[in-house]
């Protein structure tokens, strides 16, 4: 049994609740609704018969406020609440840093990385070149650091990947989602790059504005990708793929399935002693994400990768 510690939580991100419930196989729907996440309670309830992993358990939790940690623990059956995050060291086999505030990821992850504890870090791993360089260097030393958007495991996108050869040469991919570029643009990039077998882009150019992010990405062979993230549109995650012989629309709705598969891949990584997601793929996603922000800051300058 792999003992996992969970670190939470950041504003608007329910992963400490949902991921702990998926692993431990239990949840308090009313408590999750009371703290503001009825949609999470709904998808956990709809999938309650598949909750629980046979070879892993969240045994420890820490949050910046004791009341938050107590709520997560009570809701998902976690036995131990850590007074300090570092108190988990020596008591867990792996850690999930289930916060999506990348500006805090280095400081929060470092004690566990230094201790050699495998860690999964919620998306995006980093939002600056310096933070990315830190994680890249630690991964190169052999530390088990896994990070990605669960969109990499979205069944809707993987079903379409099966059909890609029938579309002919790909000419255009467009993606549209709601909310901000750093925390949600990473979803779209991760999903698109998975479809493309993690091809490396040539250029990135931000042609929108803050809150109405429009990012143009080019690849060898002429493929053009446009990613749109708008704060004030209806919630959606959709990707359209256009080839010379056909096209597909991917609408990603099954959050539970992609979260569960992501967690399973991390647990398997811990069992095998090495991340099953090569860190170079994470670097590729984050370099694109950060380059788009750099382009915006420079008035829409084309960034060559």
């Amino acid at each position: 049994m792999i003992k996992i510690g969970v670190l939470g939580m950041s504003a608007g991100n329910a992963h400490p609740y949902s991921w702990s419930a998926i692993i431990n196989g239990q949840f308090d729907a009313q408590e999750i609704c009371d703290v503001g996440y009825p949609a999470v309670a709904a998808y956990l309830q709809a999938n309650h018969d598949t909750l629980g992993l046979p070879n892993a358990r969240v045994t420890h939790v820490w949050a910046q406020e004791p009341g938050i940690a107590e709520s997560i623990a009570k809701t998902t059956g976690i036995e131990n609440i850590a007074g300090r995050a570092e108190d988990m060291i020596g008591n867990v086999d792996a850690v999930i840093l289930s916060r999506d505030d990348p500006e805090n990821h280095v400081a929060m992850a470092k004690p566990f990385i230094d201790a050699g504890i495998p860690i999964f870090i919620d998306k995006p791993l980093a939002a600056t070149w310096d933070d990315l360089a830190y994680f890249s260097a630690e991964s190169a030393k052999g530390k088990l650091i896994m990070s990605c958007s669960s969109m990499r495991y979205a069944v809707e996108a993987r079903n379409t990947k099966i059909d890609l050869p029938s579309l002919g040469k790909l000419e255009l991919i467009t993606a549209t989602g709601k909310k901000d570029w750093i925390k949600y643009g990473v979803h779209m990039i991760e999903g698109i790059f998975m479809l493309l077998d993690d091809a490396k882009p040539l250029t990135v150019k931000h042609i929108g504005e803050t809150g109405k992010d429009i990012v143009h990405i080019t690849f060898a062979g002429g493929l053009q990708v446009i990613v749109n993230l708008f704060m004030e549109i209806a919630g959606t995650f959709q990707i359209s793929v256009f080839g010379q012989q056909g096209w597909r629309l991917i609408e990603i709705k099954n959050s539970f399935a992609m979260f569960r598969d992501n967690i399973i891949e991390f647990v398997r990584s811990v069992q095998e002693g090495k991340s099953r997601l090569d860190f170079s793929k994470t670097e590729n996603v984050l370099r694109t994400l950060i380059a788009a922000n750099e382009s915006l800051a420079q008035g829409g300058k084309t960034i060559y990768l």
Side-chain angles (χ1 to χ4, degrees):
M1 179 67 67
I2 293 171
K3 296 184 291 184
I4 298 174
V6 164
L7 306 179
M9 62 184 295
S10 50
N13 184 359
H15 291 178
Y17 287 92
S18 59
W19 287 35
S20 298
I22 289 169
I23 295 168
N24 284 1
Q26 65 185 90
F27 67 100
D28 182 332
Q30 189 57 56
E31 176 72 9
I32 293 175
C33 289
D34 288 346
V35 296
Y37 301 106
V40 172
Y43 71 61
L44 290 174
Q45 186 61 49
N47 294 279
H48 68 92
D49 56 331
T50 66
L51 292 178
L53 300 186
N55 51 357
R57 182 165 185 86
V58 178
T59 59
H60 292 71
V61 63
W62 173 89
Q64 67 273 29
E65 296 178 16
I68 295 174
E70 290 168 7
S71 174
I72 297 168
K74 177 180 72 173
T75 301
T76 60
I78 301 171
E79 297 90 349
N80 303 289
I81 298 173
R84 301 180 310 137
E86 295 86 345
D87 292 343
M88 295 185 191
I89 296 173
N91 294 306
V92 298
D93 303 307
V95 168
I96 295 175
L97 175 46
S98 51
R99 295 174 55 132
D100 63 358
D101 47 352
E103 65 275 13
N104 293 314
H105 282 171
V106 169
M108 297 186 71
K110 191 175 187 303
F112 300 96
I113 293 173
D114 288 347
I117 297 176
I119 187 167
F120 181 91
I121 303 174
D122 205 356
K123 57 78 196 165
L125 174 66
T128 68
W129 297 116
D130 286 346
D131 286 358
L132 177 56
Y134 165 77
F135 287 116
S136 297
E138 292 300 316
S139 176
K141 294 176 186 175
K143 302 297 178 67
L144 199 167
I145 302 170
M146 182 176 175
S147 181
C148 62
S149 158
S150 294
M151 201 78 81
R152 176 170 289 275
Y153 303 104
V155 66
E156 300 93 337
R158 287 180 174 255
N159 285 343
T160 297
K161 189 172 184 177
I162 297 170
D163 292 340
L164 285 187
S166 69
L167 305 186
K169 182 177 183 291
L170 298 184
E171 294 285 350
L172 173 68
I173 297 177
T174 65
T176 301
K178 180 178 172 65
K179 297 190 179 179
D180 65 285
W181 173 252
I182 287 294
K183 292 184 180 180
Y184 288 83
V186 66
H187 283 309
M188 315 311 295
I189 295 172
E190 193 95 45
I192 292 167
F193 282 19
M194 182 279 294
L195 288 172
L196 300 176
D197 289 328
D198 294 282
K200 293 185 177 181
L202 300 178
T203 66
V204 178
K205 182 175 183 176
H206 197 298
I207 56 177
E209 59 189 73
T210 301
K212 295 182 179 181
D213 297 279
I214 305 171
V215 176
H216 180 218
I217 307 167
T218 66
F219 291 83
L223 175 63
Q224 310 286 306
V225 172
I226 303 290
V227 181
N228 309 288
L229 264 290
F230 277 53
M231 289 295 295
E232 303 301 330
I233 62 171
T236 185
F237 284 122
Q238 55 182 273
I239 301 171
S240 294
V241 184
F242 301 89
Q244 293 181 349
Q245 274 78 53
W247 64 277
R248 294 289 185 276
L249 169 64
I250 307 167
E251 190 172 8
I252 296 168
K253 292 185 174 182
N254 193 341
S255 299
F256 173 82
M258 67 183 187
F259 290 156
R260 188 172 188 272
D261 285 348
N262 194 348
I263 295 166
I264 289 171
E265 282 299 285
F266 176 58
V267 171
R268 293 175 71 187
S269 296
V270 175
Q271 291 173 320
E272 296 173 15
K274 180 181 179 181
S275 177
R276 290 172 55 82
L277 176 63
D278 193 281
F279 194 81
S280 65
K281 297 180 179 181
T282 300
E283 283 182 309
N284 194 31
V285 169
L286 292 173
R287 289 175 71 238
T288 307
L289 186 79
I290 296 168
N293 249 13
E294 185 176 294
S295 174
L296 175 62
Q298 297 184 38
K301 178 183 176 181
T302 298
I303 306 299
Y304 291 86
L305 295 175

